[in-house]
Amino acid sequence: MPTALVTGATSGIGRAFARRLAAEGHDMILVARDEQRLRDLAGRLADRHGVEVEVLAADLADPAAREPVERRVADPQRPVDVLINNAGYGTSGMFWDIPGEQLHDQLELNAGAVLGLTRAAASAMRERGSGDIVNVSSVSGFFPVSGSTYSATKAYVTTLSQGLATALAGSGVRVLALCPGFTRTEFHERAGLEMGRLPKVFWLQVDRVVHEALADLRAGKAVSIPSPQYKALVAIGRLIPQKLQRLVVTATVPGRT
């Protein structure tokens, strides 16, 4: 059986990827901080789908703690066929109001962990001549969200993924940047963002996001933007001046002032 490793597997998009890939017959490696939640999910996936599930509890914002995960991804004796880099978090408030330690942790998790795990996977997959990497980014990475370090980290993830997809073309290794819009998960509540003003049309269902991502990956695309409304938003955003982009985003993104 092929093996898939999913970070941030206990909730949201990561959990949906874990369920979908296990249902497709992948053995699973689940990574997150909460070991009990990981084991609960592992038991359900194993019972329902008859797959083997390995649990790795790690805080990926800590470079030392993520080293064992990077080694597992790169292990030639136990190859990882699919890597889903999903772990990440946002913050509420402006850049200068957020503690520096929190910003550093966010950068390490959202960008540093993606860099380390992607490098480990890409090197091993390139040698084997096959493999898939999905780096979960965000539509916000296309726009200069006022005071947001989250959108800056996601811009990095998207650009890194696009560059690797080009560099690995023809190698048998596929790399995708998944750039969803607002998706119904625990993410916004954990970040302390007030989302009550957002129209329903902009909310995505997590299983739809995962379905479109895998379809785009298997079609050979380097970027996946689920749903017509967000595809249109990004396309229009590329046509208007950045100064106008900043004004529009500042006025409309919930939780920003």
Side-chain angles (χ1 to χ4, degrees):
M1 285 186 178
T3 298
L5 185 149
V6 181
T7 71
T10 54
S11 64
I13 292 174
R15 186 183 182 91
F17 266 114
R19 292 198 309 261
R20 171 66 179 268
L21 292 170
E24 290 184 354
H26 292 74
D27 288 333
M28 302 301 303
I29 306 168
L30 307 178
V31 183
R33 290 180 299 174
D34 190 324
E35 184 170 0
Q36 187 56 55
R37 290 184 71 180
L38 284 172
R39 295 198 178 280
D40 290 345
L41 176 59
R44 286 193 289 272
L45 294 179
D47 291 343
R48 177 171 295 183
H49 303 294
V51 296
E52 294 186 9
V53 186
E54 181 180 345
V55 165
L56 293 176
D59 180 358
L60 297 178
D62 180 350
R66 70 176 178 251
E67 281 185 11
V69 184
E70 292 178 10
R71 289 197 300 271
R72 178 64 184 87
V73 170
D75 187 347
Q77 303 303 316
R78 298 180 295 163
V80 170
D81 303 283
V82 181
L83 170 64
I84 309 293
N85 270 317
N86 166 74
Y89 73 91
T91 56
S92 61
M94 299 301 288
F95 177 78
W96 43 85
D97 295 324
I98 302 171
E101 182 178 352
Q102 186 178 4
L103 292 177
H104 179 78
D105 284 348
Q106 183 191 51
L107 181 63
E108 281 291 341
L109 180 59
N110 292 12
V114 171
L115 173 64
L117 292 174
T118 297
R119 185 177 184 279
S123 299
M125 290 175 179
R126 184 171 173 270
E127 288 187 8
R128 294 196 309 269
S130 66
D132 292 328
I133 300 170
V134 176
N135 291 327
V136 180
S137 185
S138 170
V139 159
S140 72
F142 294 107
F143 300 99
V145 180
S146 175
S148 172
T149 53
Y150 176 79
S151 62
T153 63
K154 293 306 183 179
Y156 171 83
V157 170
T158 300
T159 302
L160 174 68
S161 302
Q162 288 177 295
L164 287 173
T166 299
L168 291 167
S171 70
V173 182
R174 299 179 293 197
V175 182
L176 179 81
L178 169 58
C179 302
F182 294 104
T183 305
R184 293 196 181 279
T185 68
E186 301 171 12
F187 175 87
H188 301 96
E189 181 180 352
R190 287 180 173 180
L193 296 174
E194 173 54 52
M195 305 303 297
R197 293 191 295 116
L198 187 70
K200 290 183 179 179
V201 69
F202 286 106
W203 282 110
L204 304 179
Q205 297 300 319
V206 66
D207 288 332
R208 176 183 176 181
V209 168
V210 169
H211 177 78
E212 292 196 30
L214 291 175
D216 286 340
L217 172 72
R218 292 161 184 173
K221 296 182 180 180
V223 176
S224 177
I225 304 172
S227 82
Q229 58 268 44
Y230 282 109
K231 286 182 173 67
L233 181 65
V234 172
I236 293 169
R238 288 168 172 164
L239 298 176
I240 63 177
Q242 285 199 353
K243 184 176 181 180
L244 181 56
Q245 281 188 30
R246 289 194 293 270
L247 291 173
V248 171
V249 171
T250 300
T252 59
V253 173
R256 298 292 174 192
T257 58

